[in-house]
Amino acid sequence: MSTTARLALPYIAPQQAQKQVTYNAAMAMLDQLVQPAVQSRTVTTPPGAPTPGETYIVGPSATGAWAGKDGKFAAWHDGTWTFMTPANGWLAYVADTAELAVFATGVWT
């Protein structure tokens, strides 16, 4: 399946069955990435009872469902964690420190 260049949002293919699946996946990704506000960027273990839409930047040396996802956006969506890999220049508001974080050369600062 082809995707957009910047955010890797899925395109609906011609003659595709169940177009709503692709559309809904793209909307969920946009919901996670447009005007991102995360709870924290230092948490390394997924919270026990996340609320829908709750989002984090996975902290270093993460464990559990977040193992191997360090530095990615982790959002709770439809009962599971979804992950997005940031690109250089992405910004996020970090609630627990009331700061803006920027992703550059592979790290959040």
Side-chain angles (χ1 to χ4, degrees):
M1 177 183 302
S2 58
T3 60
T4 62
R6 292 189 54 234
L7 297 179
L9 300 172
Y11 283 123
I12 296 173
Q15 309 300 319
Q16 177 181 333
Q18 297 185 343
K19 291 174 175 52
Q20 74 278 6
V21 174
T22 301
Y23 176 82
N24 290 346
M27 290 301 101
M29 292 169 74
L30 283 173
D31 188 53
Q32 182 179 355
L33 297 175
V34 174
Q35 299 283 337
V38 300
Q39 303 297 313
S40 178
R41 65 185 182 111
T42 58
V43 174
T44 59
T45 304
T51 58
E54 194 169 329
T55 305
Y56 295 82
I57 293 172
V58 179
S61 302
T63 61
W66 290 358
K69 307 292 186 188
D70 299 7
K72 294 185 178 188
F73 281 110
W76 185 251
H77 177 70
D78 287 339
T80 189
W81 290 103
T82 60
F83 300 94
M84 292 294 298
T85 302
N88 285 332
W90 285 19
L91 300 170
Y93 175 75
V94 183
D96 69 351
T97 58
E99 67 180 4
L100 283 177
V102 63
F103 188 81
T105 60
V107 295
W108 287 97
T109 56

